[in-house]
Amino acid sequence: MTFFSAWQGDELLGCGAFKELDSRSGEVKSMRTAKAHRRKGVASKILEHIIKEAEQRGYDRLNLETGVIPEFAPARALYIRYGFEYRGPFADYIDDLNSVFMTKKL
């Protein structure tokens, strides 16, 4: 698991994590932005950093699982803007009405 955080001085703006699934693919595990810093591009910068790191590691693909409820709509929109597409479950995931799965070819 690799964890990244974004700071402004001593204030945490947001964080993100991803893990290696195998030598050619990874999974975005978590992305969070501090409430006071939402809609300021923090999540975009963290996701860009994760994608860049995955490319440097030679991954062909990044996958993720996220929620379907309305509160996750901004996250899904962010992933779509960065080229992620919907897909079925991957790794150890199973179909779940509360989850959507996405992938991005690198």
Side-chain angles (χ1 to χ4, degrees):
M1 187 78 65
T2 304
F3 182 81
F4 301 105
S5 56
W7 295 82
Q8 185 172 41
D10 61 354
E11 186 175 8
L12 178 65
L13 306 179
C15 60
F18 81 109
K19 79 174 203 176
E20 183 172 285
L21 295 176
D22 56 49
S23 64
R24 305 302 291 167
S25 66
E27 176 185 359
V28 178
K29 291 299 291 179
S30 182
M31 298 257 312
R32 299 282 187 270
T33 301
K35 189 178 250 184
H37 296 286
R38 291 184 184 155
R39 305 254 188 271
K40 295 180 181 178
V42 174
S44 292
K45 293 293 185 189
I46 291 171
L47 184 57
E48 288 169 8
H49 190 76
I50 289 172
I51 292 168
K52 185 177 186 179
E53 179 68 22
E55 290 172 337
Q56 289 176 346
R57 292 182 184 193
Y59 293 171
D60 294 328
R61 181 169 304 282
L62 265 178
N63 301 290
L64 63 88
E65 177 273 337
T66 192
V68 298
I69 61 175
E71 288 83 350
F72 288 97
R76 291 190 306 270
L78 172 72
Y79 298 132
I80 289 168
R81 275 197 321 273
Y82 278 87
F84 284 81
E85 298 176 345
Y86 291 101
R87 62 161 294 162
F90 61 92
D92 294 332
Y93 290 102
I94 58 172
D95 271 325
D96 178 346
L97 295 176
N98 296 307
S99 295
V100 294
F101 305 96
M102 302 179 86
T103 191
K104 174 181 175 63
K105 187 173 177 167
L106 302 176

